[in-house]
Amino acid sequence: MSPKKDSFHQVEPKYITTELEESGEIGEASYGRFHGFLVCSMVLCGEIVAVAGDYSDYYHRQYDDQTEEMVEFTDRNYRTFLMRPAPPIISMPKSLNADSRKHLERAFELFWADWASCANRLRIVTEYLLDQLAIPRIAAKGKRYLDLAARIELLKAARPGHDNLLNALRVVGNLGSHDGEVDFEVLLDCFEFLEEAMVELLDRRREKMDARAALLIQSRGKPALD
């Protein structure tokens, strides 16, 4: 992704201009809002991504020993709160169902706006992933709805070894809903956990690799004959 030429614009609100004037910082700093477009550099893509958020500029002057002149430069920072369509943070298996894919794409956008809401959206993806794996939402007896923890236990019985990853997504998603705050590094962990769970549960990568390894062991390292 690279900025689309001449598409980035910054606007300083009037009240900030007044504050800078009163503090004597006018000409030294600027704060406000920005918007612009990014363009995918892949030849066959060319996607246009809209971005917006807050900016901060700090203007500096210093003496350059080589040119023996004063030089000016700007320390510019952008804090993005909107990115649409958002670049994928993790890969999706081709076999991932439409509901999971839809909510995961929404999580990519929420990553830039609200970490707590993003974590909750990953929890929703987990629910739909279990749907794809035929883990029921309603108990066989009593017709009561199963919460996510109970459904993960059912998956554990059918496909052991993935419950820790999914329970982490459940716990952090609950935290996002109830506390409204999720740590940035924790959210990145959740994306990684979800990617690993999807790859293993849908693509069965480890199972397929183990099967290939077993064939090599059986053939004593020689290639299998067709």
Side-chain angles (χ1 to χ4, degrees), residues 59-71:
Y59 309 121
H60 303 278
R61 298 180 75 247
Q62 68 180 37
Y63 184 75
D64 189 322
D65 292 330
Q66 293 184 343
T67 62
E68 297 183 346
E69 295 178 349
M70 295 297 294
V71 294

Side-chain angles (χ1 to χ4, degrees), residues 137-179:
R137 288 180 180 250
I138 301 176
K141 296 181 180 180
K143 295 186 178 181
R144 63 179 179 85
Y145 281 94
L146 299 173
D147 61 19
L148 182 54
R151 298 184 74 202
I152 292 173
E153 283 300 308
L154 292 178
L155 176 71
K156 182 179 178 181
R159 301 275 301 276
H162 310 285
D163 50 300
N164 280 344
L165 296 178
L166 299 185
N167 271 316
L169 290 164
R170 174 182 64 83
V171 169
V172 178
N174 289 345
L175 182 68
S177 296
H178 301 310
D179 286 15

Side-chain angles (χ1 to χ4, degrees), residues 20-211:
L20 292 171
E21 289 174 345
E22 292 176 349
S23 65
E25 294 180 273
I26 197 76
E28 297 180 5
S30 176
Y31 314 99
R33 316 293 168 249
F34 82 91
H35 63 84
F37 296 98
L38 301 175
V39 182
C40 179
S41 57
M42 295 182 64
V43 176
L44 298 180
C45 180
E47 178 65 275
I48 303 293
V49 176
V51 295
D54 294 341
Y55 80 89
S56 62
D57 283 351
Y58 298 94
Y59 309 121
H60 303 278
R61 298 180 75 247
Q62 68 180 37
Y63 184 75
D64 189 322
D65 292 330
Q66 293 184 343
T67 62
E68 297 183 346
E69 295 178 349
M70 295 297 294
V71 294
E72 298 181 354
F73 62 94
T74 301
D75 179 11
R76 175 165 296 157
N77 294 281
Y78 290 124
R79 173 66 174 95
T80 302
F81 290 106
L82 179 148
M83 187 172 287
R84 183 177 177 86
I89 297 171
I90 58 174
S91 60
M92 300 187 214
K94 292 181 179 179
S95 59
L96 185 66
N97 63 23
D99 287 323
S100 294
R101 188 177 296 273
K102 176 182 68 176
H103 287 288
L104 186 51
E105 288 173 350
R106 182 59 179 146
F108 295 156
E109 294 179 356
L110 286 168
F111 176 80
W112 300 96
D114 187 333
W115 295 338
S117 297
C118 179
N120 184 258
R121 193 64 61 137
L122 295 182
R123 186 189 187 284
I124 294 173
V125 175
T126 305
E127 292 273 16
Y128 282 110
L129 176 61
L130 293 179
D131 288 348
Q132 184 171 354
L133 297 168
I135 303 300
R137 288 180 180 250
I138 301 176
K141 296 181 180 180
K143 295 186 178 181
R144 63 179 179 85
Y145 281 94
L146 299 173
D147 61 19
L148 182 54
R151 298 184 74 202
I152 292 173
E153 283 300 308
L154 292 178
L155 176 71
K156 182 179 178 181
R159 301 275 301 276
H162 310 285
D163 50 300
N164 280 344
L165 296 178
L166 299 185
N167 271 316
L169 290 164
R170 174 182 64 83
V171 169
V172 178
N174 289 345
L175 182 68
S177 296
H178 301 310
D179 286 15
E181 292 185 6
V182 169
D183 181 79
F184 176 72
E185 295 296 334
V186 169
L187 185 59
L188 289 181
D189 284 343
C190 286
F191 272 107
E192 185 178 356
F193 297 161
L194 178 60
E195 183 176 39
E196 179 68 16
M198 290 191 301
V199 167
E200 292 300 328
L201 289 167
L202 298 180
D203 291 345
R204 297 176 179 264
R205 182 173 60 184
R206 181 58 184 269
E207 293 178 29
K208 293 176 181 178
M209 191 172 295
D210 284 344

